[in-house]
Amino acid sequence: MIQLRPEPDVVAAVADPEVTTSASDVADRLPGVVLDESFPPIAVPRPVPRGGDPLSLRRVAFSMAPQDATVLVRGEIGDDEITTRTALLPVAHRQVAGVFADPVIAPGLVCAGDPPVGDWQRVAELLDTAGLRAEGCDGSGVPLAILDTGINLAHLREVLGREVRLDAERSLVPEGVSERPGEAWVDHGTMCAFDALIAAPNATLLDLPVLLSQRPGGSAIDGLLSDAVAAFAHLRTVLEAMPEESRALVVSNSWGSFSPRWDFPVGHPGNYSDNPAHPFNIIVGSLEQAGADVLFAAGNCGRDCPDGRCAFPERPIVGANSHGQVISVGGVDVEGKRVGYSSQGPGRLSDQKPDLCAYTHFSGSQVYGPDSPDSGTSAACPVAAGVVAAIRTRWPASRLSPAELRTLLQRTADDRSDIGFDYDYGYGILNPPAVLAALRRLEARRV
């Protein structure tokens, strides 16, 4: 990904959803770079100090003003020229502000062969979805974005035996992907959608199949980080178009980067895994600050049963999965035991990761057959996202900011150790009845 600082009128055109721009409109000639014209330019907000360190991602605001924001384009540099080109581009072209890694991203389903532990009805009991519904918390009116391999609406309807809401207009299909929203092959994304609907049956799904790769040699279930950048930019537009008093958006991400070989080295200015200034990490923080709840799977690189692709020798919760402004979700079975493959902290961007755990490895969506579990932190993340969407039915971001809700989820989690936070379970297992009780107390104090 190449970050450019063009003239303000160009930035304004890129940021305007009513205007269509192309990579060549922004970057006329970048020596040694083959621009990807299929990837639309993306405006990236600038972190603006708010009395703190501009790179801390905690005490900053995000400005989309044309004189502040930058623009991302996607291009390819030959492997034998990466070091030279990344060093020379900012010198040779005055608008180049940075060159960043665009690592492959992929979901994680591991420990294949282990049978399911319990089923999704047991998960619903543990989450006390009946109690959530009694409080009016069922996801009604709340958009729940699934960034994955796409959703198959017909499969969800068949397995659940009821109607499922999907908003095709606010969904986003990456350039070159032929499937329409809700009509993807039955796969990982459909599993995630099913698991999110356990706690939020009336949420409105947004389908963003960022893992449907168009890169040469890619598999059917991995993509590039730049597609996620485009998806998050789209979601910011969706969020800002909503009335402020009812603004709510939950974003579920069951994917991550597995290997340092897909990235620039740690310390390189274009690195993703450890770099809070990487454009994707910036845009994740800005979406959360605008009012979205962003959840990421912690990953499947736990020391007991790691995914075979895991190549980080330590601290495998990397990049946005360890971002301080997201909810990083580990996995437990319905007995409350951490599944062996659930990644342990510390995280790379934020030390105290994962934030909490949710249920996984249960019989649910039947996406991989009736005897195969919904597994991995890939399942735990949307389970947690569904609980967040259910809560947002009554408590939009105007009443409870994403940061406040994240803290509430941490404080009310069912602690699995004697010492509070730990790197296996985070703050504990997601506990919706305790969350509702805390919200009732909060409401009483505000009256």
Side-chain angles (χ1 to χ4, degrees), residues 199-235:
N202 289 331
T204 300
L205 298 173
L206 307 186
D207 190 4
L208 296 97
V210 298
L211 299 181
L212 292 183
S213 174
Q214 295 300 299
R215 67 189 178 88
S219 76
I221 53 172
D222 62 21
L224 292 172
L225 192 62
S226 48
D227 292 315
V229 170
F232 269 64
H234 168 75
L235 290 175

Short mmCIF file of all heavy atoms in Angstrom, two decimals, residues 199-235:
data_model
loop_
_atom_site.label_atom_id
_atom_site.label_comp_id
_atom_site.label_asym_id
_atom_site.label_seq_id
_atom_site.Cartn_x
_atom_site.Cartn_y
_atom_site.Cartn_z
N ALA A 199 -27.00 -14.56 19.47
CA ALA A 199 -27.42 -13.58 20.48
C ALA A 199 -28.18 -12.41 19.89
O ALA A 199 -28.86 -11.70 20.62
CB ALA A 199 -26.20 -13.07 21.25
N ALA A 200 -28.04 -12.19 18.60
CA ALA A 200 -28.68 -11.03 17.97
C ALA A 200 -29.49 -11.49 16.75
O ALA A 200 -29.15 -11.15 15.61
CB ALA A 200 -27.64 -10.00 17.56
N PRO A 201 -30.58 -12.25 16.98
CA PRO A 201 -31.30 -12.85 15.84
C PRO A 201 -31.92 -11.85 14.89
O PRO A 201 -32.17 -12.17 13.73
CB PRO A 201 -32.38 -13.70 16.54
CG PRO A 201 -32.54 -13.09 17.90
CD PRO A 201 -31.18 -12.59 18.27
N ASN A 202 -32.18 -10.63 15.37
CA ASN A 202 -32.82 -9.63 14.50
C ASN A 202 -31.87 -8.56 14.00
O ASN A 202 -32.31 -7.53 13.47
CB ASN A 202 -33.99 -8.97 15.25
CG ASN A 202 -35.16 -9.93 15.42
OD1 ASN A 202 -35.36 -10.83 14.59
ND2 ASN A 202 -35.91 -9.79 16.50
N ALA A 203 -30.57 -8.76 14.20
CA ALA A 203 -29.59 -7.81 13.65
C ALA A 203 -29.65 -7.83 12.13
O ALA A 203 -30.06 -8.81 11.51
CB ALA A 203 -28.19 -8.16 14.13
N THR A 204 -29.24 -6.73 11.52
CA THR A 204 -29.18 -6.65 10.07
C THR A 204 -27.76 -6.89 9.60
O THR A 204 -26.85 -6.12 9.93
CB THR A 204 -29.64 -5.26 9.59
OG1 THR A 204 -30.98 -5.03 10.04
CG2 THR A 204 -29.59 -5.16 8.08
N LEU A 205 -27.55 -7.97 8.87
CA LEU A 205 -26.20 -8.33 8.43
C LEU A 205 -25.74 -7.43 7.27
O LEU A 205 -26.52 -7.12 6.37
CB LEU A 205 -26.16 -9.79 7.98
CG LEU A 205 -26.50 -10.84 9.05
CD1 LEU A 205 -26.60 -12.23 8.39
CD2 LEU A 205 -25.44 -10.86 10.15
N LEU A 206 -24.49 -7.03 7.32
CA LEU A 206 -23.83 -6.40 6.18
C LEU A 206 -22.75 -7.37 5.71
O LEU A 206 -21.94 -7.85 6.51
CB LEU A 206 -23.19 -5.06 6.57
CG LEU A 206 -24.08 -4.01 7.26
CD1 LEU A 206 -23.31 -2.70 7.41
CD2 LEU A 206 -25.37 -3.79 6.51
N ASP A 207 -22.72 -7.66 4.44
CA ASP A 207 -21.83 -8.67 3.87
C ASP A 207 -20.65 -7.98 3.19
O ASP A 207 -20.81 -7.26 2.21
CB ASP A 207 -22.62 -9.51 2.85
CG ASP A 207 -21.85 -10.73 2.38
OD1 ASP A 207 -20.74 -10.98 2.90
OD2 ASP A 207 -22.38 -11.44 1.49
N LEU A 208 -19.44 -8.20 3.72
CA LEU A 208 -18.22 -7.61 3.13
C LEU A 208 -17.18 -8.72 2.95
O LEU A 208 -16.36 -8.99 3.84
CB LEU A 208 -17.67 -6.50 4.04
CG LEU A 208 -18.59 -5.28 4.22
CD1 LEU A 208 -19.39 -5.40 5.52
CD2 LEU A 208 -17.78 -4.00 4.23
N PRO A 209 -17.20 -9.39 1.80
CA PRO A 209 -16.35 -10.56 1.59
C PRO A 209 -14.89 -10.20 1.23
O PRO A 209 -14.41 -10.46 0.13
CB PRO A 209 -17.05 -11.29 0.45
CG PRO A 209 -17.73 -10.21 -0.32
CD PRO A 209 -18.14 -9.17 0.68
N VAL A 210 -14.17 -9.63 2.19
CA VAL A 210 -12.81 -9.15 1.92
C VAL A 210 -11.81 -10.30 1.75
O VAL A 210 -10.69 -10.08 1.27
CB VAL A 210 -12.32 -8.21 3.04
CG1 VAL A 210 -13.20 -6.98 3.13
CG2 VAL A 210 -12.27 -8.92 4.39
N LEU A 211 -12.20 -11.52 2.15
CA LEU A 211 -11.25 -12.63 2.05
C LEU A 211 -11.36 -13.39 0.74
O LEU A 211 -10.65 -14.37 0.54
CB LEU A 211 -11.47 -13.62 3.22
CG LEU A 211 -11.26 -13.04 4.62
CD1 LEU A 211 -11.47 -14.12 5.69
CD2 LEU A 211 -9.87 -12.45 4.77
N LEU A 212 -12.23 -12.93 -0.15
CA LEU A 212 -12.30 -13.58 -1.47
C LEU A 212 -11.19 -13.01 -2.34
O LEU A 212 -11.33 -12.00 -3.01
CB LEU A 212 -13.67 -13.34 -2.11
CG LEU A 212 -14.84 -14.04 -1.41
CD1 LEU A 212 -16.13 -13.80 -2.18
CD2 LEU A 212 -14.59 -15.53 -1.28
N SER A 213 -10.06 -13.68 -2.31
CA SER A 213 -8.84 -13.14 -2.92
C SER A 213 -8.91 -13.08 -4.44
O SER A 213 -9.47 -13.94 -5.08
CB SER A 213 -7.66 -14.02 -2.52
OG SER A 213 -6.51 -13.61 -3.20
N GLN A 214 -8.35 -12.03 -4.96
CA GLN A 214 -8.17 -11.92 -6.40
C GLN A 214 -6.70 -11.92 -6.77
O GLN A 214 -6.33 -11.70 -7.90
CB GLN A 214 -8.81 -10.62 -6.89
CG GLN A 214 -10.32 -10.60 -6.71
CD GLN A 214 -11.01 -11.71 -7.47
OE1 GLN A 214 -10.91 -11.79 -8.68
NE2 GLN A 214 -11.68 -12.60 -6.75
N ARG A 215 -5.84 -12.14 -5.77
CA ARG A 215 -4.41 -12.10 -6.06
C ARG A 215 -3.98 -13.42 -6.72
O ARG A 215 -4.53 -14.49 -6.43
CB ARG A 215 -3.60 -11.89 -4.80
CG ARG A 215 -3.65 -13.06 -3.85
CD ARG A 215 -3.02 -12.73 -2.52
NE ARG A 215 -3.12 -13.85 -1.61
CZ ARG A 215 -2.22 -14.83 -1.54
NH1 ARG A 215 -1.16 -14.80 -2.31
NH2 ARG A 215 -2.37 -15.82 -0.70
N PRO A 216 -3.01 -13.37 -7.62
CA PRO A 216 -2.54 -14.59 -8.27
C PRO A 216 -2.02 -15.58 -7.24
O PRO A 216 -1.25 -15.23 -6.35
CB PRO A 216 -1.40 -14.10 -9.17
CG PRO A 216 -1.68 -12.65 -9.37
CD PRO A 216 -2.32 -12.18 -8.11
N GLY A 217 -2.47 -16.83 -7.34
CA GLY A 217 -1.98 -17.86 -6.44
C GLY A 217 -2.68 -17.90 -5.11
O GLY A 217 -2.43 -18.78 -4.29
N GLY A 218 -3.58 -16.94 -4.82
CA GLY A 218 -4.26 -16.94 -3.54
C GLY A 218 -5.27 -18.06 -3.44
O GLY A 218 -5.71 -18.61 -4.45
N SER A 219 -5.64 -18.42 -2.21
CA SER A 219 -6.64 -19.46 -2.03
C SER A 219 -8.02 -18.81 -2.04
O SER A 219 -8.16 -17.60 -2.17
CB SER A 219 -6.42 -20.17 -0.70
OG SER A 219 -6.86 -19.35 0.37
N ALA A 220 -9.05 -19.65 -1.88
CA ALA A 220 -10.42 -19.13 -1.91
C ALA A 220 -10.78 -18.41 -0.62
O ALA A 220 -11.79 -17.75 -0.55
CB ALA A 220 -11.40 -20.28 -2.15
N ILE A 221 -9.98 -18.53 0.42
CA ILE A 221 -10.35 -17.92 1.69
C ILE A 221 -9.20 -17.11 2.27
O ILE A 221 -8.89 -17.20 3.44
CB ILE A 221 -10.84 -18.96 2.71
CG1 ILE A 221 -9.83 -20.12 2.88
CG2 ILE A 221 -12.20 -19.51 2.32
CD1 ILE A 221 -10.19 -21.06 4.02
N ASP A 222 -8.55 -16.35 1.47
CA ASP A 222 -7.65 -15.34 2.01
C ASP A 222 -7.64 -14.14 1.07
O ASP A 222 -8.04 -14.22 -0.08
CB ASP A 222 -6.25 -15.88 2.29
CG ASP A 222 -5.53 -16.38 1.06
OD1 ASP A 222 -5.88 -15.99 -0.08
OD2 ASP A 222 -4.60 -17.17 1.23
N GLY A 223 -7.25 -13.01 1.61
CA GLY A 223 -7.27 -11.80 0.83
C GLY A 223 -6.08 -10.94 1.15
O GLY A 223 -5.05 -11.43 1.59
N LEU A 224 -6.22 -9.64 0.91
CA LEU A 224 -5.14 -8.71 1.22
C LEU A 224 -5.66 -7.65 2.17
O LEU A 224 -6.84 -7.29 2.16
CB LEU A 224 -4.63 -8.06 -0.07
CG LEU A 224 -3.88 -8.98 -1.04
CD1 LEU A 224 -3.61 -8.24 -2.35
CD2 LEU A 224 -2.58 -9.48 -0.44
N LEU A 225 -4.76 -7.16 2.99
CA LEU A 225 -5.15 -6.18 4.00
C LEU A 225 -5.74 -4.92 3.36
O LEU A 225 -6.60 -4.27 3.95
CB LEU A 225 -3.94 -5.83 4.87
CG LEU A 225 -4.22 -5.04 6.14
CD1 LEU A 225 -5.12 -5.83 7.08
CD2 LEU A 225 -2.91 -4.69 6.85
N SER A 226 -5.30 -4.58 2.16
CA SER A 226 -5.82 -3.39 1.50
C SER A 226 -7.32 -3.50 1.25
O SER A 226 -8.04 -2.49 1.27
CB SER A 226 -5.08 -3.16 0.18
OG SER A 226 -4.99 -4.35 -0.57
N ASP A 227 -7.83 -4.71 1.02
CA ASP A 227 -9.28 -4.88 0.86
C ASP A 227 -10.00 -4.57 2.16
O ASP A 227 -11.12 -4.05 2.16
CB ASP A 227 -9.60 -6.29 0.37
CG ASP A 227 -9.11 -6.53 -1.05
OD1 ASP A 227 -9.32 -5.65 -1.90
OD2 ASP A 227 -8.50 -7.57 -1.31
N ALA A 228 -9.38 -4.92 3.29
CA ALA A 228 -9.97 -4.58 4.59
C ALA A 228 -9.93 -3.06 4.82
O ALA A 228 -10.84 -2.50 5.42
CB ALA A 228 -9.24 -5.32 5.70
N VAL A 229 -8.87 -2.41 4.35
CA VAL A 229 -8.81 -0.94 4.44
C VAL A 229 -10.01 -0.33 3.71
O VAL A 229 -10.71 0.55 4.23
CB VAL A 229 -7.49 -0.40 3.84
CG1 VAL A 229 -7.54 1.11 3.71
CG2 VAL A 229 -6.30 -0.82 4.70
N ALA A 230 -10.27 -0.82 2.49
CA ALA A 230 -11.39 -0.31 1.71
C ALA A 230 -12.71 -0.58 2.42
O ALA A 230 -13.62 0.27 2.44
CB ALA A 230 -11.39 -0.93 0.32
N ALA A 231 -12.83 -1.76 3.04
CA ALA A 231 -14.07 -2.11 3.74
C ALA A 231 -14.30 -1.20 4.94
O ALA A 231 -15.42 -0.73 5.19
CB ALA A 231 -14.02 -3.57 4.18
N PHE A 232 -13.25 -0.93 5.70
CA PHE A 232 -13.40 -0.07 6.87
C PHE A 232 -13.73 1.37 6.45
O PHE A 232 -14.50 2.06 7.12
CB PHE A 232 -12.13 -0.11 7.73
CG PHE A 232 -12.16 -1.18 8.80
CD1 PHE A 232 -12.21 -2.52 8.46
CD2 PHE A 232 -12.17 -0.84 10.14
CE1 PHE A 232 -12.26 -3.51 9.44
CE2 PHE A 232 -12.21 -1.82 11.13
CZ PHE A 232 -12.26 -3.16 10.78
N ALA A 233 -13.15 1.83 5.35
CA ALA A 233 -13.49 3.17 4.85
C ALA A 233 -14.97 3.23 4.47
O ALA A 233 -15.67 4.21 4.74
CB ALA A 233 -12.61 3.53 3.66
N HIS A 234 -15.47 2.17 3.82
CA HIS A 234 -16.89 2.10 3.47
C HIS A 234 -17.75 2.12 4.72
O HIS A 234 -18.77 2.83 4.78
CB HIS A 234 -17.14 0.82 2.67
CG HIS A 234 -18.59 0.49 2.49
ND1 HIS A 234 -19.41 1.17 1.62
CD2 HIS A 234 -19.39 -0.43 3.12
CE1 HIS A 234 -20.65 0.68 1.68
NE2 HIS A 234 -20.65 -0.28 2.59
N LEU A 235 -17.35 1.36 5.75
CA LEU A 235 -18.16 1.29 6.97
C LEU A 235 -18.21 2.63 7.69
O LEU A 235 -19.19 2.97 8.34
CB LEU A 235 -17.62 0.20 7.90
CG LEU A 235 -17.84 -1.23 7.40
CD1 LEU A 235 -17.15 -2.23 8.32
CD2 LEU A 235 -19.34 -1.55 7.32
#
